[in-house]
Amino acid sequence: LIQISDLHKTYHMGDVEVNALCGVSFAIEAGEHMAIMGPSGSGKSTLMNLLGCLDTPTSGAYLLDGEDVSRLDGDRLAAVRNRQIGFVFQQFNLLSKESAVQNVELPLIYAGVPDRRERAMAALERVGLADRAHHRPRELSGGQQQRVAIARALVNSPSIVMADEPTGNLDTKTGLEILQVFDELNDEGITLVMVTHDPRVAERCKRVMRLVDGEVVSDVFNHQE
Amino acid sequence: LIQISDLHKTYHMGDVEVNALCGVSFAIEAGEHMAIMGPSGSGKSTLMNLLGCLDTPTSGAYLLDGEDVSRLDGDRLAAVRNRQIGFVFQQFNLLSKESAVQNVELPLIYAGVPDRRERAMAALERVGLADRAHHRPRELSGGQQQRVAIARALVNSPSIVMADEPTGNLDTKTGLEILQVFDELNDEGITLVMVTHDPRVAERCKRVMRLVDGEVVSDVFNHQE
Ligand SMILES: Nc1ncnc2c1ncn2[C@@H]1O[C@H](COP(=O)(O)OP(=O)(O)OP(=O)(O)O)[C@@H](O)[C@H]1O
Ligand SMILES: Nc1ncnc2c1ncn2[C@@H]1O[C@H](COP(=O)(O)OP(=O)(O)OP(=O)(O)O)[C@@H](O)[C@H]1O
Ligand SMILES: [Mg+2]
Ligand SMILES: [Mg+2]
């Protein structure tokens, strides 16, 4: 489903170059449940932004479902992204002027799907926030905003969900409820890629890849069951 | 140092009322090291915003160093806050157009302190980010932004540091390095109040208070040493 080959990402700030990814290669099969871990600043969000088709690499190839997406322009990239991928941002990226349910409806508007209000409310219900549907982001707690961002990523039943630190702002009990939702999605066949710092999240994933300074240092398949 | 009595905070959204804090009372002595825990949405950030003099309660009293700050207006509140409190926000609240070191210099500008650049660079050094001083927030990873927010809270040597989830975006090793910095501050006599979801953070605090639905359900002093 996903094939990454020798991916590089270099950020340019004036005359300074930051090599955030230095030649990353791996493949992900449909239906996998994978965690990406590593120190702060090691390149996890940079990799997720490339995997989620939110950015293009400096060099290297990315085949998504057999299609080379590494050289697509903005519009084509957005079309691929909206069709197949649900993305949960590390900083949530909710629209501050819209309510929670309006934020969750957004992918359905892009996709031209009917019954948007019912589907968005069902997604909010699933993350435990039906009673906060009409709050705007600044009228929600940090963990509630994070759960709205998760509901928005799920609402259009994508084939792949990519979540960048989805439990960072959640207490243990709420975090476990959200991980339960992710497990159910994976049981339904949805491919899950999750960046996490939390060992309790990683232990539920069947595969854990570690990044250090923009390189893959380990990639372990967990054959416990 | 801090005395809170029957604090209430109600948010009004149109005709909906959200009772975020429902009568919270406790005291904190100078030099304490306290964690505040509780489920997502239980009122922790609301309480921290009141303790940090960023907001005023709907009712109840808050004595800070013997002075009643619960009824101060915006300017007086800001003056108290800048003089005594270093605050680390859950969402960092960095200025997006300024570099990391410029963000850390901000409290020193308010306080009229000289040698701002050297002091700000020393604070960034202490959180391990001297090599990212000229990056703006969007040129930093999530955990790096969090550490800039921590450096900004420390730079003016406040007598109290309040941190809302300071390790949520940090990997275990970087998180421990930051907790080490907090422990050193506490050894120097600085009062620490920290909201956290991470049990590993709470176990280093000598006192753990738990909130559920806007009320204090437990307040345990840890007399292990
Ligand atoms: N400006 C606001 N208007 C209306 N409701 C609000 C506002 N800010 C917070 N709330 C509500 O008040 C409750 C407490 O919010 P608060 O941010 O204090 O929670 P929290 O304990 O910090 O949660 P988290 O761990 O998720 O950050 C939440 O249910 C939230 O929806
Ligand atoms: N737009 C940018 N311009 C310059 N440097 C950047 C930019 N975005 C990220 N970086 C740098 O690239 C490196 C990798 O950043 P990235 O956000 O991928 O890290 P991360 O592994 O997600 O970290 P965290 O766990 O703290 O979120 C960091 O050192 C960061 O400072
Ligand atoms: Mg990141
Ligand atoms: Mg909070």
Side-chain angles (χ1 to χ4, degrees):
Chain A
L1 181 63
I2 287 177
Q3 280 178 290
I4 303 278
S5 158
D6 200 26
L7 226 56
H8 288 259
K9 181 68 187 177
T10 302
Y11 294 112
H12 299 277
M13 286 168 47
D15 52 355
V16 172
E17 272 191 4
V18 177
N19 294 314
L21 285 181
C22 311
V24 172
S25 302
F26 60 87
I28 304 177
E29 309 274 323
E32 276 204 56
H33 190 167
M34 176 174 165
I36 299 177
M37 302 186 80
S40 173
S42 56
K44 303 178 300 296
S45 294
T46 300
L47 176 58
M48 286 294 270
N49 292 341
L50 295 178
L51 285 176
C53 294
L54 292 152
D55 192 7
T56 49
T58 307
S59 67
Y62 174 14
L63 291 183
L64 175 61
D65 216 1
E67 182 187 0
D68 184 348
V69 293
S70 41
R71 300 281 164 276
L72 290 185
D73 67 7
D75 286 353
R76 296 280 308 280
L77 209 58
V80 168
R81 190 169 71 229
N82 290 329
R83 202 176 52 234
Q84 287 187 287
I85 301 171
F87 201 94
V88 185
F89 292 86
Q90 187 170 3
Q91 306 287 308
F92 320 149
N93 287 23
L94 299 175
L95 298 182
S96 59
K97 292 196 176 64
E98 307 282 323
S99 69
V101 70
Q102 287 170 328
N103 266 280
V104 176
E105 283 176 1
L106 215 61
L108 302 176
I109 296 174
Y110 280 132
V113 169
D115 305 326
R116 289 194 289 268
R117 180 56 49 118
E118 292 76 22
R119 286 167 187 256
M121 285 305 295
L124 280 176
E125 184 87 41
R126 199 164 185 185
V127 297
L129 281 182
D131 63 341
R132 290 282 183 273
H134 302 293
H135 285 230
R136 284 167 301 173
R138 71 177 73 89
E139 294 164 343
L140 292 168
S141 80
Q144 291 169 342
Q145 293 177 41
Q146 186 155 44
R147 286 182 278 159
V148 172
I150 291 167
R152 182 182 62 185
L154 311 181
V155 74
N156 199 14
S157 304
S159 52
I160 308 167
V161 168
M162 300 188 177
D164 196 342
E165 308 246 9
T167 62
N169 282 275
L170 300 177
D171 59 289
T172 305
K173 182 168 165 291
T174 311
L176 283 173
E177 288 165 9
I178 288 298
L179 291 178
Q180 192 70 38
V181 172
F182 282 118
D183 284 352
E184 287 163 14
L185 292 174
N186 190 241
D187 290 344
E188 294 163 22
I190 292 176
T191 308
L192 282 190
V193 183
M194 229 180 277
V195 169
T196 184
H197 287 311
D198 190 336
R200 291 167 302 181
V201 174
E203 75 195 11
R204 293 169 82 115
C205 297
K206 297 184 189 72
R207 178 179 174 190
V208 178
M209 193 165 81
R210 275 178 197 278
L211 288 187
V212 174
D213 293 337
E215 295 184 40
V216 177
V217 295
S218 70
D219 190 353
V220 179
F221 289 79
N222 180 356
H223 292 296
Q224 260 171 0
E225 53 267 292
Chain B
L1 180 65
I2 288 177
Q3 279 179 291
I4 303 279
S5 158
D6 201 23
L7 226 56
H8 288 259
K9 181 69 186 179
T10 301
Y11 294 112
H12 300 277
M13 287 167 48
D15 53 355
V16 173
E17 269 190 7
V18 177
N19 294 313
L21 286 182
C22 312
V24 172
S25 302
F26 60 87
I28 304 177
E29 307 276 321
E32 275 204 57
H33 190 168
M34 177 174 165
I36 298 176
M37 305 186 80
S40 173
S42 55
K44 304 178 299 297
S45 294
T46 299
L47 175 57
M48 286 294 271
N49 291 340
L50 296 178
L51 285 177
C53 294
L54 292 152
D55 193 6
T56 50
T58 307
S59 67
Y62 173 15
L63 291 183
L64 176 59
D65 216 1
E67 182 187 0
D68 185 348
V69 294
S70 42
R71 300 281 165 276
L72 290 185
D73 66 9
D75 286 353
R76 296 280 309 277
L77 210 56
V80 168
R81 189 169 70 229
N82 290 329
R83 200 175 56 234
Q84 287 187 288
I85 300 171
F87 201 95
V88 185
F89 292 87
Q90 188 170 0
Q91 306 289 309
F92 321 150
N93 287 23
L94 300 176
L95 299 182
S96 58
K97 293 194 176 61
E98 307 284 321
S99 70
V101 70
Q102 287 170 328
N103 266 280
V104 176
E105 282 177 0
L106 216 60
L108 302 176
I109 295 173
Y110 280 131
V113 169
D115 306 326
R116 291 194 289 269
R117 180 58 46 119
E118 291 76 24
R119 286 167 189 256
M121 285 305 295
L124 278 176
E125 183 89 41
R126 200 166 185 185
V127 299
L129 281 181
D131 63 341
R132 290 281 182 270
H134 303 294
H135 284 229
R136 282 167 302 174
R138 72 179 71 87
E139 294 164 342
L140 292 168
S141 79
Q144 290 170 341
Q145 293 177 40
Q146 187 156 43
R147 285 181 279 160
V148 172
I150 292 167
R152 182 182 60 186
L154 309 182
V155 74
N156 200 15
S157 305
S159 52
I160 308 167
V161 168
M162 299 188 176
D164 196 343
E165 308 246 7
T167 62
N169 282 274
L170 302 177
D171 59 289
T172 306
K173 182 167 165 289
T174 312
L176 283 173
E177 289 164 9
I178 290 298
L179 290 178
Q180 192 71 38
V181 172
F182 282 119
D183 284 352
E184 287 163 15
L185 293 174
N186 190 241
D187 291 344
E188 294 162 22
I190 293 177
T191 307
L192 281 190
V193 183
M194 226 180 279
V195 169
T196 185
H197 286 310
D198 190 335
R200 290 167 303 182
V201 174
E203 74 195 10
R204 293 169 83 114
C205 297
K206 297 183 187 74
R207 180 179 174 188
V208 178
M209 193 165 78
R210 276 179 195 279
L211 287 187
V212 174
D213 291 337
E215 293 184 42
V216 175
V217 294
S218 71
D219 189 354
V220 178
F221 289 79
N222 180 354
H223 291 299
Q224 259 173 0
E225 51 263 293

